[in-house]
Amino acid sequence: MGAHVLLWVATAIAPRLGAIRGTLAPLSTGTPMGISISPFYLFPEGSALEKSYQNSQKIATSGVSMCKLSIAQPAENRHRINCFAEGIGVLLDGIMVSMGVHGLCLLPRR
């Protein structure tokens, strides 16, 4: 529940405060939807990587022709690259959230 509230604050409230007050200007130029989209695609890609890895290992140990192995290994590498890219997206989105929370903490009290 706390993560959902933090996500809502970072995506809905913080960019508007930055546009009004100028204290959170980096957040107002970011993509707030990225905070929820990157993890959405990371988890299925991780399971696809696991399946692809198991398939590649099964083909490598079964003694099948090199042609099938040369098809399975690039598929595994493709999933590895996708997981890496989505993981970087999650990390960058976490930085955006932390910048938003830090900016909210720096707002003057009324």
Side-chain angles (χ1 to χ4, degrees):
M1 180 65 180
H4 292 301
V5 172
L6 180 63
L7 178 66
W8 180 75
V9 167
T11 58
I13 296 175
R16 291 190 184 111
L17 286 175
I20 294 170
R21 296 190 183 263
T23 57
L24 300 175
L27 270 181
S28 63
T29 60
T31 57
M33 288 303 295
I35 296 171
S36 59
I37 290 175
S38 289
F40 178 76
Y41 287 110
L42 176 64
F43 295 121
E45 190 62 39
S47 63
L49 172 63
E50 183 63 32
K51 289 177 188 174
S52 179
Y53 174 74
Q54 296 296 330
N55 184 36
S56 178
Q57 290 300 313
K58 183 175 66 172
I59 290 174
T61 58
S62 67
V64 182
S65 68
M66 285 298 286
C67 181
K68 290 191 177 189
L69 185 60
S70 66
I71 293 172
Q73 284 181 338
E76 179 187 347
N77 289 336
R78 181 178 58 240
H79 289 296
R80 285 187 189 281
I81 292 170
N82 284 344
C83 282
F84 169 75
E86 292 297 334
I88 294 296
V90 169
L91 292 174
L92 291 174
D93 293 338
I95 291 171
M96 284 179 32
V97 168
S98 65
M99 286 172 46
V101 170
H102 182 261
L104 287 174
C105 292
L106 293 178
L107 289 175
R109 296 181 189 227
R110 294 181 188 200

